[in-house]
Amino acid sequence: MKSGRDRFLAGATLMMLAVFFVRVNIFIWLAPLMVLAAIYEPRGRLSYYLGVPQGRLLMTASGSLILLLSVLSWRNIISDPHGFLLGFIDNNSEGLLMQIQSEPLKNSLLALLVLPILVSMAGLWLPLMICLRIRVRHLKALEPWDRIPFLLFLVAAVFAFLGPLPPNGDISEFRHRGGPLLMIVTMVWSVHYLVIVLTPILQGMTDVPRRTILITCAFLPFLSLPLSISTARSPRMLWGQELFGRTFAPDLIAVAKDLYREADRQTRFVVAGASPDSRLYDDAVVIV
C-alpha cells in the first residue's frame, strides 16, 4: 500500500465483504455503493486508467446494476411486471392512489412515491444533513466523498424497483431491509457536516471544551434514539398494524404443538372460519 488512504480503503473493503456473513440484505446495497464510491475516488485514478470521465463511468455502473438486477429477475418481470416492479411501493402507498382509475397515471405516480418512501427510511436526519451540507458547501469544504449518501439513495431507488425476490417471496427483503444503512450513513454525514460547520468556533476554544463538543457530536445519533425508539415499535403502515398487538388463543398453541409432534413434511391442514379481511395474519399463521 502506498498510502494510509489505500490501507483504509482495503480495510473498508474487507469489512464490507464481512457484512455478507451477517446481513445479506444490507450487503446487497453496500456492494454497489462501494463500486460507485470507487468511481468517485478523489484522485480519479479509475477514470484516468480507463480514459473515461467520472460522470460517464457513474452512468455506466448504474446502468450495469439495473441490467444485472433485470437479468436476475427476468422471469418475475415477464410474468408479473406490475407486481414485481411496483409491488413494494404499492404495498407502502397506504392506499393513496386507490381512487385513480387510469392505470398508466397510477403507475407513474407510484413510481414517484419511491422518493418519500426512501426519505422516510432516513428519517429526520435527512433534512438535517441537507441543511448542513448547504452550509458546508457555502464554506467550500465539500469533498468528493460527500457524494456517498446520495449514491446510496441512488442504489436504494434502483433496488426499490428491481430488488430480487428471495425464496420466501418477501418482496421487502432486498428492497426495504437495507433501510438502516440509509439512516446510518445519513447520521454519519450529518455529524461530519456539523463538525465542519462548528470548526471556526472550535478553533477558538481550549482543549477541554473543544473535546467535549466533539464527543457530544459523535454521540448525538445515540442520544437521539430514545426520542424515536418507543414509537418505532408500533407499525405506521396500515398493512403492519394487522400484526401488532395480537394475542394468541391457548387452543391454537396446543394445536400447533400437536401438529409439530405428529405431522411430517407432506402433511397439509385446513383452517376454517378465517376472516376474509385477513391478508397477513389468521389462525393458520399462528399454528404454523
Side-chain angles (χ1 to χ4, degrees):
M1 297 294 178
K2 295 182 179 180
S3 67
R5 188 185 296 270
D6 291 333
R7 288 191 292 270
F8 178 80
L9 182 60
T13 303
L14 290 175
M15 293 180 66
M16 179 203 72
L17 295 175
V19 172
F20 177 84
F21 299 100
V22 181
R23 292 293 297 271
V24 176
N25 46 27
I26 289 182
F27 172 83
I28 205 172
W29 286 20
L30 190 57
L33 174 63
M34 290 290 288
V35 174
L36 297 179
I39 292 174
Y40 271 120
E41 190 266 335
R43 299 179 186 178
R45 286 176 290 187
L46 183 60
S47 175
Y48 174 78
Y49 292 143
L50 297 178
V52 180
Q54 286 184 327
R56 187 177 300 176
L57 274 179
L58 176 63
M59 294 181 62
T60 302
S62 302
S64 299
L65 175 62
I66 293 173
L67 179 61
L68 175 62
L69 293 176
S70 300
V71 170
L72 290 175
S73 303
W74 69 272
R75 293 181 184 273
N76 301 104
I77 296 175
I78 293 176
S79 62
D80 185 13
H82 179 276
F84 180 78
L85 296 173
L86 298 174
F88 167 69
I89 302 173
D90 199 5
N91 290 343
N92 291 275
S93 65
E94 293 295 280
L96 293 175
L97 307 179
M98 291 181 60
Q99 304 301 322
I100 298 179
Q101 302 299 322
S102 172
E103 284 299 321
L105 177 59
K106 183 177 180 179
N107 293 341
S108 300
L109 294 176
L110 273 174
L112 293 177
L113 284 178
V114 69
L115 295 176
I117 289 175
L118 294 179
V119 169
S120 68
M121 291 184 190
L124 295 177
W125 286 97
L126 180 60
L128 175 62
M129 185 192 73
I130 292 176
C131 292
L132 291 171
R133 178 185 171 87
I134 294 173
R135 177 57 182 166
V136 172
R137 183 178 181 181
H138 179 74
L139 296 174
K140 298 181 179 180
L142 288 177
E143 297 185 8
W145 292 120
D146 291 325
R147 298 185 180 102
I148 286 181
F150 301 98
L151 293 176
L152 178 57
F153 272 91
L154 172 63
V155 171
V158 171
F159 273 91
F161 294 101
L162 293 170
L165 287 176
N168 63 8
D170 184 359
I171 196 172
S172 69
E173 183 68 33
F174 298 121
R175 307 192 185 200
H176 180 267
R177 304 294 176 86
L181 184 62
L182 272 178
M183 176 172 286
I184 291 172
V185 169
T186 307
M187 282 180 174
V188 170
W189 255 265
S190 296
V191 174
H192 166 61
Y193 289 150
L194 179 60
V195 172
I196 294 176
V197 171
L198 293 177
T199 295
I201 301 175
L202 296 174
Q203 289 176 341
M205 294 183 174
T206 58
D207 288 345
V208 173
R210 181 169 63 247
R211 291 173 181 174
T212 302
I213 292 177
L214 289 174
I215 293 174
T216 302
C217 290
F219 279 90
L220 188 60
F222 301 101
L223 297 175
S224 67
L225 287 178
L227 300 177
S228 58
I229 192 65
S230 59
T231 57
R233 295 177 180 176
S234 176
R236 298 178 183 178
M237 298 297 183
L238 295 177
W239 62 266
Q241 293 175 4
E242 187 178 352
L243 303 173
F244 185 76
R246 289 280 185 170
T247 57
F248 301 108
D251 292 341
L252 286 178
I253 303 300
V255 169
K257 292 180 179 179
D258 291 338
L259 285 174
Y260 180 78
R261 184 172 55 253
E262 302 294 339
D264 55 33
R265 295 180 63 88
Q266 303 301 322
T267 302
R268 299 291 183 270
F269 63 91
V270 177
V271 176
S275 171
D277 298 328
S278 297
R279 296 185 304 159
L280 303 173
Y281 183 97
D282 55 20
D283 290 347
V285 173
V286 177
I287 292 175
V288 172

